[in-house]
Amino acid sequence: MVSSLDHLGGDPAIASRFLFEVDGVEIGIFKEVRGLEVTVGTEEIKEGGQNGYVHKIPARMTWPNIVFRRGLTQSDALFDWMSKSSGEGFAGNGNKLSRSTGAITAITHTGARLRSWQLQAVFPVRWKGPEFSIDKKEALEEELEIAHHGFKSKTFSAP
């Protein structure tokens, strides 16, 4: 049997874009997100007299920066946020970083929300604008890189 979704891109549980919000404000919608991961380091404890193995225990958790690609922001919210966490905005706040709460939400081609990752203490570290050329036929794209202090995941229930 042919699904009515086949002509729209197939499985309704597959994300077709990713919404990025900061403190509830939409920053942009992107087609690609890299770096949403966590690594748990380990420490080794060498027990005296035990030469068969070394005890490993969990240690510090680390999260790489997250990079959003292949999107275009629709408002000045990104640059407003960047100005608060760098340059004159940062200096005007006594050189204190005002960290925000962020969220990445996976969205299907029908607009349904699949899963969200709530990011803690986010701030922007890099933005790259579109490349302009009259010879290019590709859509304009931006790239955004953010730092954060971890995340929690939330699954949305099916309608």
Side-chain angles (χ1 to χ4, degrees):
M1 177 173 183
V2 176
S3 166
S4 63
L5 296 173
D6 287 343
H7 73 283
L8 296 174
D11 191 344
I14 295 176
S16 66
R17 58 194 183 277
F18 304 92
L19 169 65
F20 178 54
E21 300 169 290
V22 173
D23 293 334
V25 176
E26 182 178 316
I27 298 297
I29 296 177
F30 299 86
K31 293 182 182 178
E32 197 175 308
V33 178
R34 292 186 323 234
L36 190 60
E37 63 183 82
V38 60
T39 301
V40 178
T42 59
E43 290 186 21
E44 294 183 352
I45 298 176
K46 297 176 183 173
E47 182 179 353
Q50 178 54 269
N51 294 327
Y53 61 90
V54 174
H55 296 279
K56 288 192 176 188
I57 60 171
R60 191 169 304 220
M61 297 171 76
T62 57
W63 298 271
N65 288 350
I66 295 175
V67 178
F68 299 87
R69 293 190 58 228
R70 299 184 60 211
L72 195 62
T73 57
Q74 297 296 319
S75 73
D76 292 330
L78 169 62
F79 297 103
D80 293 342
W81 178 46
M82 286 188 88
S83 69
K84 290 177 185 175
S85 56
S86 61
E88 291 179 13
F90 179 72
N93 196 29
N95 293 334
K96 293 181 184 172
L97 182 60
S98 177
R99 293 182 187 257
S100 301
T101 301
I104 300 168
T105 304
I107 301 174
T108 67
H109 67 277
T110 63
R113 292 173 180 239
L114 292 172
R115 179 178 288 259
S116 180
W117 292 266
Q118 307 292 327
L119 305 168
Q120 302 167 2
V122 300
F123 65 97
V125 296
R126 185 176 62 85
W127 175 83
K128 178 183 175 189
E131 295 180 10
F132 301 106
S133 172
I134 60 170
D135 296 328
K136 287 189 174 187
K137 304 288 187 234
E138 296 88 22
L140 298 178
E141 297 177 351
E142 293 177 299
E143 187 171 292
L144 170 65
E145 183 174 347
I146 62 167
H148 64 100
H149 281 179
F151 57 85
K152 295 178 184 177
S153 179
K154 174 185 175 186
T155 303
F156 293 93
S157 58

